[in-house]
Amino acid sequence: MGQAQRSDRRGSDDRIRVIAGNGSRSSAGERARRRGTERGGLEGLELWEISRDNDNSRMMRLADREQVRLGQGRPRPRTQPNRRNTGNPRPVSSIKRRRARKRRLNLYRIFVFLMIGVCLILIYQTTGAIYRMVHNDKTGKGKGIVEVVSEKIEANRIQPPAITADYLEPNEFSRPGTKLKKIKSVFVHYTANPGTSAAQNRSYFANLAETQERSASAHFIIGYEGELIQCIPLEEQAYAVATRNADSVSIECCYLDEDGKFTQETYDTLVHTLAWLTQEYHLSADDILRHYDCGGKKCPLYYVEHEDAWEQLLADVESYKPETD
């Protein structure tokens, strides 16, 4: 029995020496420490179990040192990013940039093609219009483009009506001579004196320089037979609308009936004159006003009391066409 125990102890000692020898080589050699933690962990665990089974204090201390050594020499695992999950962001962003650049390039090409198409259409239409204009039989042959266009503009231009220029003598009551710098409106008046002619009303304005009873005048006077007298040049102010003399032209109209309605001859000359003035000074029908529209005076009487007649007059001015031979 004692021999068997000695044999077992001898085997255990041999095993311990082998394991201890392996542990010594592992701590002494740098390559043994780099082999990994799994083998060293198994050796330390086996050494610990042997020392515990035999209750050997020396082997316990040796096993403790071996465990400490293994713990100190064990390399700490490095945290590696999960490349499969995160991926490399640079290639993805580069792809996105290339795609965005490609989209912008495609949009630019589309825009250029559209602009080229529009320009070609405009060139085609312009060339066709010029060709038709030059070869139109009505315009005549052998005329240049500039001549043809000038003739068309002149044909559509409203010529002034027949005007008798009979200017008043300068005076402070009817022709002050003040410069008229701009024309923003044309005012329509009536003489408030039925049955009087344009010449008689012109004489009334001229006599104000003598009578000095008040200040009054107008640039034009239209008689009930359609005659048109100009009393003041269009470069000067008239005494017609107190608050608008500085930027307006005034037209006085004669009439026969007490209701103030104009004769057809007066009406026709008035429409022609208004169409000509609005063309000359780049005005519209909205710039044609009654004396009533600035101050509330019932002038011209008939066209204040009959709004529909006034609207019709403005419509006739807008649609006025010059007479052609």
Side-chain angles (χ1 to χ4, degrees):
M1 188 69 178
Q3 187 177 0
Q5 290 179 354
R6 283 194 300 271
S7 178
D8 294 337
R9 183 173 297 175
R10 189 181 300 113
S12 299
D13 292 339
D14 293 339
R15 186 177 180 184
I16 291 171
R17 282 195 298 272
V18 172
I19 296 172
N22 291 336
S24 299
R25 286 193 301 270
S26 176
S27 62
E30 183 65 24
R31 289 181 301 174
R33 286 197 298 271
R34 294 179 180 178
R35 290 178 181 176
T37 59
E38 182 178 358
R39 182 179 176 183
L42 292 174
E43 291 174 352
L45 180 60
E46 188 176 359
L47 181 61
W48 174 263
E49 291 177 351
I50 294 173
S51 63
R52 184 182 59 182
D53 292 340
N54 295 304
D55 195 16
N56 190 327
S57 59
R58 180 174 175 275
M59 296 304 297
M60 291 284 287
R61 289 193 299 274
L62 181 60
D64 291 338
R65 285 197 300 271
E66 184 66 11
Q67 290 290 331
V68 172
R69 182 188 65 75
L70 292 175
Q72 292 176 349
R74 183 182 303 167
R76 295 182 178 179
R78 296 182 179 179
T79 57
Q80 296 291 337
N82 190 351
R83 295 181 181 273
R84 185 176 59 183
N85 294 334
T86 59
N88 193 345
R90 295 183 63 186
V92 175
S93 61
S94 179
I95 292 172
K96 290 182 177 180
R97 286 196 297 271
R98 286 198 298 271
R99 289 178 178 175
R101 187 161 51 249
K102 187 175 182 181
R103 285 194 297 268
R104 289 195 297 269
L105 182 59
N106 291 335
L107 291 175
Y108 175 77
R109 289 174 178 172
I110 293 172
F111 175 77
V112 170
F113 290 149
L114 289 175
M115 291 301 297
I116 293 174
V118 171
C119 292
L120 291 175
I121 293 173
L122 291 176
I123 292 172
Y124 174 79
Q125 292 180 348
T126 304
T127 305
I130 294 174
Y131 179 84
R132 289 190 298 271
M133 185 182 298
V134 172
H135 291 80
N136 194 339
D137 293 335
K138 294 182 179 180
T139 61
K141 297 181 180 180
K143 295 183 179 180
I145 297 175
V146 175
E147 293 179 352
V148 172
V149 173
S150 299
E151 286 182 4
K152 285 184 173 292
I153 294 175
E154 192 64 26
N156 293 325
R157 187 176 183 83
I158 300 173
Q159 299 299 322
I163 301 174
T164 301
D166 190 5
Y167 297 145
L168 302 174
E169 292 294 328
N171 67 89
E172 58 179 316
F173 293 95
S174 56
R175 187 186 172 186
T178 308
K179 190 73 174 178
L180 181 60
K181 296 181 179 180
K182 57 183 177 180
I183 296 176
K184 297 172 61 177
S185 302
V186 179
F187 282 93
V188 177
H189 308 257
Y190 86 133
T191 59
N193 192 5
T196 56
S197 66
Q200 289 173 327
N201 283 278
R202 187 263 175 204
S203 297
Y204 171 76
F205 291 147
N207 290 333
L208 290 176
E210 301 295 332
T211 62
Q212 301 182 3
E213 58 182 273
R214 68 189 185 102
S215 297
S217 61
H219 290 88
F220 298 98
I221 304 174
I222 301 176
Y224 51 77
E225 293 182 354
E227 69 274 21
L228 179 62
I229 297 176
Q230 184 173 1
C231 301
I232 296 177
L234 291 172
E235 295 80 17
E236 297 181 15
Q237 296 183 21
Y239 284 148
V241 182
T243 59
R244 296 293 307 278
N245 289 332
D247 62 356
S248 64
V249 171
S250 288
I251 303 173
E252 288 278 357
C253 296
C254 300
Y255 63 101
L256 297 175
D257 299 329
E258 292 292 336
D259 60 358
K261 186 177 181 179
F262 301 157
T263 63
Q264 189 63 45
E265 293 80 3
T266 302
Y267 186 89
D268 292 342
T269 302
L270 176 62
V271 170
H272 185 177
T273 305
L274 290 173
W276 167 62
L277 289 173
T278 53
Q279 173 191 265
E280 288 296 310
Y281 296 101
H282 307 289
L283 305 176
S284 67
D286 294 333
D287 300 313
I288 301 173
L289 304 174
R290 300 165 294 185
H291 193 174
Y292 170 78
D293 297 320
C294 186
K297 181 180 179 180
K298 287 190 174 183
C299 173
L301 179 64
Y302 182 82
Y303 296 95
V304 172
E305 296 179 345
H306 299 82
E307 289 284 344
D308 56 339
W310 176 251
E311 294 297 330
Q312 182 60 50
L313 187 148
L314 297 180
D316 291 341
V317 172
E318 284 188 317
S319 60
Y320 180 82
K321 299 294 182 183
E323 295 181 359
T324 56
D325 296 335

